[in-house]
Amino acid sequence: MLQKRLEVGLCVIALLSLMPADLCQAKSKGKDKAQPADVFTPPAEMTANIPTFVDGSGQPLKPFDATGADGSEPNIDVIRRLPSLTGPQRKALDKMLAESRVQKAALQDGIKSMQSQLKNRQASSNKPGAKPLLNALTKPSISFTPAKPQVANAATQEMDNAMEMQQQGEMREQETMVQEPPPEEEIKAKIQNSTDQIKQANKQLWQFAASVLTAQQRDELDKMRHGQLMITTANGSQNLTDKKSDTVLGAMNPYRPEPVSVSINKGALKRILSNQAKHEKTPDFSGL
Amino acid sequence: MTKPDTESFWIEHLLRRAGFGYSPAELKYYKSLGYEKTLVELLEPEKVDNSKLTDALDQQGFDFTRLVDLKRWWIYRMAFTRRPLEEKMSLFWHGHFATSNRKVDNPYFMYLQNVKMRDYGLGNFETLLLSMSKDPAMIIWLDNQQNKKGKPNENYAREVMELFSLGIGNYTEKDVKEGGRSFTGWQSRPDGFYFNAKDHDNGNKVFLGQQGNFNGDDVVGILARNPAAPKFLATKLCKFFVADNPSDTLISEVAGAYKPGEQNIRKMMETIFTHPEFISQSSYHAKIKGPAELVVGTIKSLQVTKLDGELPNQMARMGQSLFEPMTVKGWDGGAAWVSTDMMMERFNFATKITQQKFDAMEGYIVPSALVAKQGLQTPAETVNYFLNLLVDNDVPASARNELTQYVASDTNGKPIDTNSPDERLQDAKLRGLVHLIMTLPTYQLA
């Protein structure tokens, strides 16, 4: 029955399955000039000792950067889960995070708006006889000094207005075309500038988070990232056994139950195995 | 095709069920031990040195505060552990005590829970159940955080009976309420389990016919000693490890190994793996592999050393997102694994792992290297080798012939000139062969 159920798509799948290999073969013909001298020589990877996770190009995945060097926002939630974090520390982190997000939201909206402008403009310029549009970016440069929410909100509002004007641009262009829009490069530079500001804000957040924590807490955080932070459990303190219990008995986690010695009925097992020796399995499917 | 009537055949079966399949080297090792010694080694993981895995894991740079790394960490463990049953039990218990990070929102707590499942997974059931009842992730998952004196939340009390120990029909609504009162004040804090005495109900309770000022420890003890527990657990274990519809005889014998005084999970597993129903045609290739079994088994059999960082997502699309089971009931398994869309994801996985290349020849797998290593000369030998490696040679002659024909022919169906082989064509054919085998019905079966 099970075989039958699985059989249903087999014919189609078989056909589909045949395609990639052959297509792949056909596509690659003449494309890559370099060919291994001996295709049957196992590559080094086959004998590598340590398997590794890789990205789509076969390169090892980079470990997560926990310093913010890549410009990403720190995961404050992880820090908030530190067992020894105090209430005031938590409040300080939350406040800083909230402020930082308000600041970044305005910048992110701005980037989105500018990207939209770019896209629309490129689309328009592709039309025959297209004329330059009034671009919201011809307005004075928007200031992003976002420590205070109301400032950021004002900036957001300004960008919303810009979006609206952009959407209505086609209708108004004849009557309001008073100024040439900035070149694309200028818009791109502004986008880059905003992106840099976001990264900088994240970097500051990382620095702030680190400054809030004590040296001991930073050590705790590091242990947590490595899966080695002990924590209270049903049986007392849980020793994170990834390291210890992987070694042989004796060095094992003391909270792990003693193994029960296994005593298999050898005679019975032998009989069962020999009784089943005449196994014959011929699944009934076809279509391959 | 008639299988060779050897013990080795059942070792392969055992390794698929008690683990995630095997690499050729692992199979050779276990076959040298024989079935009985292999089983003892599987059942006593504490005696197997797994430090090579630890060393390898140390070099991966996993961050246990990130869910994606946690998933990769577990896949890595499943694939390269020397203790296959230990990992398989962890997977079983993860489905049994199904807890999802979607609600817990704390990968580190999920990691801690997983470690406990590994540590207690073959031990005493009461110990395991108690550790889960006090597990911070579980407390968040089933709302015991909100279970307070005078304002009870009965979610955990209900699920600990319905899903974790007894099954529906073996308790009453009154037991749920009284059980809920017993777990009041069991809370989760960033530093782990916390008993909040002021939120605990110290009143008298009547639970499953017993009376007293019970707390959660007492309730767990009563549940683990309840006569319904062995059968409930045995049924779930047999469905996971043996067949979707195990016989009453098997369930009864496995339940008998539990023994109320011992509550011995290891003994139950021993009973399963030495039972005639497990070592039988009715059990052989009778279960559909779950995504973890499919993916990890592929890594092992094809000796994949460059693991696709997207594997966790691929498994999720196949229906099994580790640390994120969809419901409190865990994964249904069985035919639910092969719905139309999930089946297509299995084929997509087969395509990716066989076809994607990083350069001219190298990809996730290098089948030509396997062929060279084995000294295979002819298409028939090649097909035989891969069928044996991937589906235990469990295919009809017609499929074997078609595959041989495929390997022996070029893209126009003409015989390949073996005197002047086109290496690219050969590579494409070998990859195509592995792909075809991975899409066979038998490859979906454990």
Side-chain angles (χ1 to χ4, degrees), chain A residues 2-3 5-7 10 13-14 16-18 20-22 24-25 28-29 32-43 45-46 48 50-59 61 63-64 66 75 77-78 80-83 90 223-235 238-243 245-249 252-253 255-266 269 272-273 276-283 285-286 288, chain B residues 1-3 5 7 9-10 35-36 39-40 43-44 46 48-51 54 57-66 72-73 76-77 80 83 86 105-109 111-112 115-116 118-120 131 134 190-193 264 266 270 274 276 279-281 284 286 288 305-309 335 343 347 355-356 358 360-362 364 366 368-372 394 396 399 402-403 406 411 423-426 428-429 432 435-436 439 441-442 445:
Chain A
L2 199 54
Q3 294 283 4
R5 287 178 68 98
L6 291 167
E7 186 182 332
L10 186 62
I13 296 308
L16 288 173
S17 304
L18 286 167
D22 292 340
C24 179
Q25 185 270 336
S28 62
K29 260 185 183 173
D32 301 302
K33 290 178 182 174
Q35 288 191 17
D38 180 3
V39 72
F40 291 119
T41 302
E45 286 73 20
M46 290 299 296
I50 309 292
T52 309
F53 277 100
V54 297
D55 61 20
S57 58
Q59 298 305 308
L61 291 180
F64 176 67
N75 188 346
D77 283 346
V78 171
R80 291 179 91 261
R81 290 173 196 138
L82 274 177
R90 195 166 289 130
K223 280 184 176 170
M224 195 188 267
R225 291 191 189 285
H226 288 87
Q228 295 296 330
L229 185 68
M230 291 168 72
I231 164 169
T232 314
T233 68
N235 302 78
Q238 182 178 2
N239 187 343
L240 293 181
T241 54
D242 186 36
K243 246 183 163 40
S245 65
D246 278 329
T247 55
V248 288
L249 186 66
M252 61 188 270
N253 174 8
Y255 302 106
R256 189 169 184 153
E258 283 297 314
V260 177
S261 186
V262 174
S263 55
I264 292 169
N265 184 335
K266 293 178 187 177
L269 180 59
I272 294 164
L273 288 167
Q276 294 296 343
K278 290 177 183 172
H279 172 82
E280 187 173 335
K281 191 84 176 177
T282 51
F285 61 86
S286 57
L288 184 69
Chain B
M1 153 130 203
T2 305
K3 292 298 303 181
D5 56 349
E7 193 173 311
F9 172 73
W10 294 108
Y35 191 99
E36 182 212 334
L39 181 54
V40 171
L43 287 167
E44 294 185 331
E46 298 89 339
V48 178
D49 185 353
N50 215 14
S51 52
T54 314
L57 285 167
D58 281 348
Q59 296 183 42
Q60 301 303 310
F62 295 130
D63 182 338
F64 290 84
T65 63
R66 298 176 73 223
R72 288 181 188 137
W73 167 79
Y76 199 98
R77 288 198 70 101
F80 303 109
R83 304 168 170 182
E86 183 182 64
D105 192 26
N106 187 332
Y108 201 70
F109 277 177
Y111 161 68
L112 296 177
V115 170
K116 274 180 242 171
R118 190 167 293 101
D119 278 0
Y120 303 134
S131 77
K134 293 185 176 180
D191 58 353
F193 172 75
N264 191 334
R266 198 180 318 251
E270 180 188 327
T274 56
I279 308 169
S280 74
Q281 286 203 41
Y284 175 79
I288 295 171
T305 56
K306 285 194 169 184
L307 309 172
D308 185 356
M343 203 63 196
F347 298 146
Q355 307 299 330
Q356 183 167 334
F358 308 132
M361 300 303 290
E362 188 201 339
Y364 291 115
V366 190
S368 56
L370 297 174
V371 168
D394 189 14
E402 292 286 345
L403 290 169
Y406 167 75
T411 47
E423 286 151 352
R424 286 190 176 283
L425 178 60
Q426 284 188 337
K429 283 289 173 180
H435 187 187
L436 283 171
T439 55
T442 319
L445 304 177

Side-chain angles (χ1 to χ4, degrees), chain B residues 180-330:
Chain B
R181 289 177 58 211
S182 306
F183 284 110
T184 47
W186 284 34
Q187 296 172 2
S188 167
R189 295 202 313 196
D191 58 353
F193 172 75
Y194 176 69
F195 176 66
N196 190 337
K198 76 175 174 57
D199 284 339
H200 181 67
D201 183 340
N202 277 306
N204 190 56
K205 295 122 189 161
V206 180
F207 181 70
L208 288 170
Q210 298 187 47
Q211 190 170 334
N213 174 15
F214 296 137
N215 61 20
D217 293 69
D218 301 318
V219 165
V220 166
I222 291 169
L223 291 173
R225 290 187 293 275
N226 188 287
K231 188 180 177 188
F232 178 75
L233 275 182
T235 304
K236 287 194 80 169
L237 286 168
C238 291
K239 283 186 174 181
F240 187 84
F241 286 97
V242 184
D244 293 341
N245 295 299
S247 72
D248 291 342
T249 308
L250 174 65
I251 291 170
S252 172
E253 289 183 30
V254 173
Y258 178 86
K259 294 189 174 64
E262 296 179 12
Q263 303 158 14
N264 191 334
I265 301 162
R266 198 180 318 251
K267 199 73 187 166
M268 296 173 91
M269 300 313 298
E270 180 188 327
T271 306
I272 286 176
F273 295 132
T274 56
H275 199 277
E277 192 167 322
F278 177 75
I279 308 169
S280 74
Q281 286 203 41
S282 65
S283 164
Y284 175 79
H285 273 173
K287 277 197 65 69
I288 295 171
K289 287 175 187 167
E293 291 167 308
L294 184 87
V295 168
V296 175
T298 304
I299 291 169
K300 291 170 84 73
S301 57
L302 293 173
Q303 300 158 73
V304 180
T305 56
K306 285 194 169 184
L307 309 172
D308 185 356
E310 286 296 306
L311 282 178
N313 294 336
Q314 290 174 42
M315 280 176 56
R317 289 194 293 271
M318 290 181 215
Q320 191 167 40
S321 183
L322 295 175
F323 299 102
E324 294 178 307
M326 292 300 287
T327 71
V328 288
K329 287 195 285 184

Side-chain angles (χ1 to χ4, degrees), chain A residues 91-128:
Chain A
K91 277 182 186 168
L93 283 169
D94 287 349
K95 186 167 179 282
M96 185 68 181
L97 178 64
E99 287 178 1
S100 176
R101 285 195 172 159
V102 169
Q103 175 184 358
K104 286 179 294 194
L107 290 164
Q108 283 154 350
D109 286 348
I111 290 172
K112 203 173 165 186
S113 171
M114 287 187 277
Q115 284 171 335
S116 173
Q117 297 267 347
L118 268 182
K119 195 178 169 187
N120 288 343
R121 188 144 68 133
Q122 282 160 358
S124 300
S125 66
N126 288 337
K127 290 179 187 170

Side-chain angles (χ1 to χ4, degrees), chain B residues 53-217:
Chain B
L53 171 67
T54 314
D55 294 342
L57 285 167
D58 281 348
Q59 296 183 42
Q60 301 303 310
F62 295 130
D63 182 338
F64 290 84
T65 63
R66 298 176 73 223
L67 185 63
V68 67
D69 273 1
L70 192 56
K71 292 178 179 195
R72 288 181 188 137
W73 167 79
W74 198 6
I75 292 170
Y76 199 98
R77 288 198 70 101
M78 291 178 198
F80 303 109
T81 182
R82 286 274 329 269
R83 304 168 170 182
L85 182 59
E86 183 182 64
E87 292 306 323
K88 199 67 177 279
M89 292 303 300
S90 303
L91 185 61
F92 170 79
W93 291 121
H94 180 40
H96 182 84
F97 295 108
T99 308
S100 172
N101 189 62
R102 286 177 197 274
K103 180 171 175 180
V104 176
D105 192 26
N106 187 332
Y108 201 70
F109 277 177
M110 298 302 296
Y111 161 68
L112 296 177
Q113 186 189 67
N114 188 268
V115 170
K116 274 180 242 171
M117 287 170 178
R118 190 167 293 101
D119 278 0
Y120 303 134
L122 276 167
N124 172 282
F125 180 65
E126 185 176 336
T127 306
L128 176 65
L129 190 59
L130 186 60
S131 77
M132 287 299 119
S133 301
K134 293 185 176 180
D135 180 73
M138 179 65 80
I139 287 171
I140 296 169
W141 173 240
L142 290 179
D143 307 316
N144 213 62
Q145 194 79 346
Q146 289 83 47
N147 188 14
K148 298 173 181 175
K149 180 182 179 182
K151 289 186 286 183
N153 184 308
E154 292 147 6
N155 202 11
Y156 185 72
R158 182 182 304 282
E159 305 304 9
V160 76
M161 290 189 278
E162 179 181 332
L163 300 174
F164 302 162
S165 61
L166 306 182
I168 289 176
N170 293 299
Y171 58 89
T172 64
E173 277 302 303
K174 170 85 173 162
D175 293 322
V176 172
K177 289 187 188 308
E178 297 290 89
R181 289 177 58 211
S182 306
F183 284 110
T184 47
W186 284 34
Q187 296 172 2
S188 167
R189 295 202 313 196
D191 58 353
F193 172 75
Y194 176 69
F195 176 66
N196 190 337
K198 76 175 174 57
D199 284 339
H200 181 67
D201 183 340
N202 277 306
N204 190 56
K205 295 122 189 161
V206 180
F207 181 70
L208 288 170
Q210 298 187 47
Q211 190 170 334
N213 174 15
F214 296 137
N215 61 20
D217 293 69

